[in-house]
PDB file of all heavy atoms in Angstrom:
ATOM      1  N   LEU A1094       4.013   3.788  -1.909  1.00 90.00           N
ATOM      2  CA  LEU A1094       2.645   4.292  -1.815  1.00 90.00           C
ATOM      3  C   LEU A1094       2.097   4.717  -3.176  1.00 90.00           C
ATOM      4  O   LEU A1094       0.916   4.490  -3.471  1.00 90.00           O
ATOM      5  CB  LEU A1094       2.584   5.461  -0.827  1.00 90.00           C
ATOM      6  CG  LEU A1094       2.739   5.111   0.647  1.00 90.00           C
ATOM      7  CD1 LEU A1094       2.710   6.380   1.496  1.00 90.00           C
ATOM      8  CD2 LEU A1094       1.654   4.151   1.112  1.00 90.00           C
ATOM      9  N   SER A1095       2.929   5.346  -3.998  1.00 90.00           N
ATOM     10  CA  SER A1095       2.440   5.804  -5.302  1.00 90.00           C
ATOM     11  C   SER A1095       2.086   4.629  -6.209  1.00 90.00           C
ATOM     12  O   SER A1095       1.019   4.622  -6.845  1.00 90.00           O
ATOM     13  CB  SER A1095       3.496   6.696  -5.969  1.00 90.00           C
ATOM     14  OG  SER A1095       4.707   5.978  -6.154  1.00 90.00           O
ATOM     15  N   VAL A1096       2.943   3.621  -6.260  1.00 88.00           N
ATOM     16  CA  VAL A1096       2.648   2.458  -7.102  1.00 88.00           C
ATOM     17  C   VAL A1096       1.472   1.666  -6.528  1.00 88.00           C
ATOM     18  O   VAL A1096       0.605   1.199  -7.273  1.00 88.00           O
ATOM     19  CB  VAL A1096       3.900   1.572  -7.242  1.00 88.00           C
ATOM     20  CG1 VAL A1096       3.577   0.306  -8.027  1.00 88.00           C
ATOM     21  CG2 VAL A1096       5.009   2.337  -7.940  1.00 88.00           C
ATOM     22  N   SER A1097       1.414   1.522  -5.191  1.00 89.00           N
ATOM     23  CA  SER A1097       0.287   0.809  -4.579  1.00 89.00           C
ATOM     24  C   SER A1097      -1.019   1.561  -4.819  1.00 89.00           C
ATOM     25  O   SER A1097      -2.052   0.942  -5.123  1.00 89.00           O
ATOM     26  CB  SER A1097       0.528   0.643  -3.078  1.00 89.00           C
ATOM     27  OG  SER A1097       1.688  -0.120  -2.828  1.00 89.00           O
ATOM     28  N   GLY A1098      -0.981   2.891  -4.680  1.00 88.00           N
ATOM     29  CA  GLY A1098      -2.186   3.675  -4.937  1.00 88.00           C
ATOM     30  C   GLY A1098      -2.652   3.573  -6.373  1.00 88.00           C
ATOM     31  O   GLY A1098      -3.858   3.464  -6.642  1.00 88.00           O
ATOM     32  N   PHE A1099      -1.713   3.579  -7.304  1.00 88.00           N
ATOM     33  CA  PHE A1099      -2.083   3.439  -8.716  1.00 88.00           C
ATOM     34  C   PHE A1099      -2.720   2.082  -8.975  1.00 88.00           C
ATOM     35  O   PHE A1099      -3.754   1.985  -9.658  1.00 88.00           O
ATOM     36  CB  PHE A1099      -0.846   3.623  -9.594  1.00 88.00           C
ATOM     37  CG  PHE A1099      -1.088   3.352 -11.052  1.00 88.00           C
ATOM     38  CD1 PHE A1099      -1.761   4.278 -11.841  1.00 88.00           C
ATOM     39  CD2 PHE A1099      -0.654   2.172 -11.630  1.00 88.00           C
ATOM     40  CE1 PHE A1099      -1.997   4.024 -13.189  1.00 88.00           C
ATOM     41  CE2 PHE A1099      -0.879   1.914 -12.968  1.00 88.00           C
ATOM     42  CZ  PHE A1099      -1.557   2.845 -13.751  1.00 88.00           C
ATOM     43  N   PHE A1100      -2.130   1.025  -8.409  1.00 87.00           N
ATOM     44  CA  PHE A1100      -2.685  -0.307  -8.638  1.00 87.00           C
ATOM     45  C   PHE A1100      -4.060  -0.456  -7.985  1.00 87.00           C
ATOM     46  O   PHE A1100      -4.960  -1.085  -8.565  1.00 87.00           O
ATOM     47  CB  PHE A1100      -1.740  -1.373  -8.087  1.00 87.00           C
ATOM     48  CG  PHE A1100      -2.324  -2.758  -8.145  1.00 87.00           C
ATOM     49  CD1 PHE A1100      -2.434  -3.430  -9.343  1.00 87.00           C
ATOM     50  CD2 PHE A1100      -2.777  -3.376  -6.987  1.00 87.00           C
ATOM     51  CE1 PHE A1100      -2.987  -4.693  -9.405  1.00 87.00           C
ATOM     52  CE2 PHE A1100      -3.329  -4.641  -7.034  1.00 87.00           C
ATOM     53  CZ  PHE A1100      -3.434  -5.305  -8.245  1.00 87.00           C
ATOM     54  N   ILE A1101      -4.248   0.106  -6.784  1.00 86.00           N
ATOM     55  CA  ILE A1101      -5.544  -0.001  -6.113  1.00 86.00           C
ATOM     56  C   ILE A1101      -6.627   0.666  -6.956  1.00 86.00           C
ATOM     57  O   ILE A1101      -7.736   0.121  -7.132  1.00 86.00           O
ATOM     58  CB  ILE A1101      -5.479   0.632  -4.720  1.00 86.00           C
ATOM     59  CG1 ILE A1101      -4.642  -0.247  -3.776  1.00 86.00           C
ATOM     60  CG2 ILE A1101      -6.865   0.841  -4.142  1.00 86.00           C
ATOM     61  CD1 ILE A1101      -5.225  -1.611  -3.517  1.00 86.00           C
ATOM     62  N   ARG A1102      -6.341   1.821  -7.518  1.00 83.00           N
ATOM     63  CA  ARG A1102      -7.331   2.522  -8.334  1.00 83.00           C
ATOM     64  C   ARG A1102      -7.603   1.777  -9.641  1.00 83.00           C
ATOM     65  O   ARG A1102      -8.754   1.711 -10.098  1.00 83.00           O
ATOM     66  CB  ARG A1102      -6.862   3.946  -8.593  1.00 83.00           C
ATOM     67  CG  ARG A1102      -7.045   4.836  -7.365  1.00 83.00           C
ATOM     68  CD  ARG A1102      -6.074   6.014  -7.343  1.00 83.00           C
ATOM     69  NE  ARG A1102      -6.307   6.848  -6.175  1.00 83.00           N
ATOM     70  CZ  ARG A1102      -5.867   6.552  -4.950  1.00 83.00           C
ATOM     71  NH1 ARG A1102      -5.180   5.457  -4.744  1.00 83.00           N
ATOM     72  NH2 ARG A1102      -6.107   7.367  -3.930  1.00 83.00           N
ATOM     73  N   VAL A1103      -6.568   1.214 -10.240  1.00 83.00           N
ATOM     74  CA  VAL A1103      -6.773   0.414 -11.450  1.00 83.00           C
ATOM     75  C   VAL A1103      -7.589  -0.828 -11.136  1.00 83.00           C
ATOM     76  O   VAL A1103      -8.488  -1.219 -11.903  1.00 83.00           O
ATOM     77  CB  VAL A1103      -5.413   0.038 -12.071  1.00 83.00           C
ATOM     78  CG1 VAL A1103      -5.583  -1.008 -13.160  1.00 83.00           C
ATOM     79  CG2 VAL A1103      -4.735   1.274 -12.645  1.00 83.00           C
ATOM     80  N   ALA A1104      -7.298  -1.457  -9.985  1.00 83.00           N
ATOM     81  CA  ALA A1104      -8.032  -2.672  -9.620  1.00 83.00           C
ATOM     82  C   ALA A1104      -9.497  -2.364  -9.323  1.00 83.00           C
ATOM     83  O   ALA A1104     -10.394  -3.123  -9.730  1.00 83.00           O
ATOM     84  CB  ALA A1104      -7.374  -3.328  -8.405  1.00 83.00           C
ATOM     85  N   VAL A1105      -9.764  -1.260  -8.629  1.00 79.00           N
ATOM     86  CA  VAL A1105     -11.150  -0.901  -8.330  1.00 79.00           C
ATOM     87  C   VAL A1105     -11.910  -0.573  -9.610  1.00 79.00           C
ATOM     88  O   VAL A1105     -13.060  -1.004  -9.804  1.00 79.00           O
ATOM     89  CB  VAL A1105     -11.195   0.277  -7.346  1.00 79.00           C
ATOM     90  CG1 VAL A1105     -12.610   0.810  -7.198  1.00 79.00           C
ATOM     91  CG2 VAL A1105     -10.660  -0.157  -5.988  1.00 79.00           C
ATOM     92  N   ASN A1106     -11.277   0.187 -10.502  1.00 77.00           N
ATOM     93  CA  ASN A1106     -11.943   0.520 -11.760  1.00 77.00           C
ATOM     94  C   ASN A1106     -12.100  -0.697 -12.664  1.00 77.00           C
ATOM     95  O   ASN A1106     -13.141  -0.884 -13.304  1.00 77.00           O
ATOM     96  CB  ASN A1106     -11.155   1.605 -12.490  1.00 77.00           C
ATOM     97  CG  ASN A1106     -11.213   2.940 -11.778  1.00 77.00           C
ATOM     98  OD1 ASN A1106     -12.115   3.199 -10.989  1.00 77.00           O
ATOM     99  ND2 ASN A1106     -10.238   3.796 -12.037  1.00 77.00           N
ATOM    100  N   GLY A1107     -11.069  -1.529 -12.727  1.00 77.00           N
ATOM    101  CA  GLY A1107     -11.124  -2.679 -13.614  1.00 77.00           C
ATOM    102  C   GLY A1107     -12.020  -3.791 -13.115  1.00 77.00           C
ATOM    103  O   GLY A1107     -12.585  -4.551 -13.916  1.00 77.00           O
ATOM    104  N   SER A1108     -12.153  -3.910 -11.785  1.00 77.00           N
ATOM    105  CA  SER A1108     -12.993  -4.987 -11.256  1.00 77.00           C
ATOM    106  C   SER A1108     -14.469  -4.770 -11.554  1.00 77.00           C
ATOM    107  O   SER A1108     -15.256  -5.725 -11.495  1.00 77.00           O
ATOM    108  CB  SER A1108     -12.795  -5.099  -9.743  1.00 77.00           C
ATOM    109  OG  SER A1108     -13.141  -3.886  -9.095  1.00 77.00           O
ATOM    110  N   ALA A1109     -14.842  -3.532 -11.898  1.00 78.00           N
ATOM    111  CA  ALA A1109     -16.247  -3.280 -12.246  1.00 78.00           C
ATOM    112  C   ALA A1109     -16.663  -4.024 -13.502  1.00 78.00           C
ATOM    113  O   ALA A1109     -17.853  -4.320 -13.689  1.00 78.00           O
ATOM    114  CB  ALA A1109     -16.473  -1.777 -12.427  1.00 78.00           C
ATOM    115  N   VAL A1110     -15.696  -4.353 -14.371  1.00 81.00           N
ATOM    116  CA  VAL A1110     -16.039  -5.047 -15.612  1.00 81.00           C
ATOM    117  C   VAL A1110     -16.532  -6.462 -15.332  1.00 81.00           C
ATOM    118  O   VAL A1110     -17.216  -7.074 -16.171  1.00 81.00           O
ATOM    119  CB  VAL A1110     -14.808  -5.074 -16.552  1.00 81.00           C
ATOM    120  CG1 VAL A1110     -13.777  -6.087 -16.070  1.00 81.00           C
ATOM    121  CG2 VAL A1110     -15.206  -5.365 -17.982  1.00 81.00           C
ATOM    122  N   LEU A1111     -16.215  -7.018 -14.157  1.00 80.00           N
ATOM    123  CA  LEU A1111     -16.676  -8.364 -13.827  1.00 80.00           C
ATOM    124  C   LEU A1111     -18.181  -8.413 -13.611  1.00 80.00           C
ATOM    125  O   LEU A1111     -18.790  -9.487 -13.759  1.00 80.00           O
ATOM    126  CB  LEU A1111     -15.959  -8.854 -12.565  1.00 80.00           C
ATOM    127  CG  LEU A1111     -14.428  -8.965 -12.648  1.00 80.00           C
ATOM    128  CD1 LEU A1111     -13.863  -9.336 -11.291  1.00 80.00           C
ATOM    129  CD2 LEU A1111     -14.015  -9.974 -13.699  1.00 80.00           C
ATOM    130  N   MET A1112     -18.795  -7.274 -13.261  1.00 81.00           N
ATOM    131  CA  MET A1112     -20.235  -7.271 -12.984  1.00 81.00           C
ATOM    132  C   MET A1112     -21.068  -7.288 -14.261  1.00 81.00           C
ATOM    133  O   MET A1112     -22.194  -7.796 -14.259  1.00 81.00           O
ATOM    134  CB  MET A1112     -20.594  -6.047 -12.142  1.00 81.00           C
ATOM    135  CG  MET A1112     -19.864  -5.975 -10.822  1.00 81.00           C
ATOM    136  SD  MET A1112     -20.344  -4.530  -9.868  1.00 81.00           S
ATOM    137  CE  MET A1112     -19.244  -4.683  -8.460  1.00 81.00           C
ATOM    138  N   PHE A1113     -20.554  -6.727 -15.344  1.00 80.00           N
ATOM    139  CA  PHE A1113     -21.337  -6.657 -16.578  1.00 80.00           C
ATOM    140  C   PHE A1113     -21.625  -8.031 -17.180  1.00 80.00           C
ATOM    141  O   PHE A1113     -22.763  -8.294 -17.591  1.00 80.00           O
ATOM    142  CB  PHE A1113     -20.627  -5.750 -17.585  1.00 80.00           C
ATOM    143  CG  PHE A1113     -20.774  -4.293 -17.285  1.00 80.00           C
ATOM    144  CD1 PHE A1113     -19.835  -3.635 -16.510  1.00 80.00           C
ATOM    145  CD2 PHE A1113     -21.853  -3.561 -17.769  1.00 80.00           C
ATOM    146  CE1 PHE A1113     -19.967  -2.284 -16.221  1.00 80.00           C
ATOM    147  CE2 PHE A1113     -21.991  -2.218 -17.493  1.00 80.00           C
ATOM    148  CZ  PHE A1113     -21.045  -1.573 -16.711  1.00 80.00           C
TER     149      PHE A1113
END
Side-chain angles (χ1 to χ4, degrees):
L1094 288 178
S1095 60
V1096 176
S1097 299
F1099 174 76
F1100 173 74
I1101 289 296
R1102 284 154 179 79
V1103 169
V1105 171
N1106 291 338
S1108 60
V1110 75
L1111 299 175
M1112 301 181 184
F1113 284 92

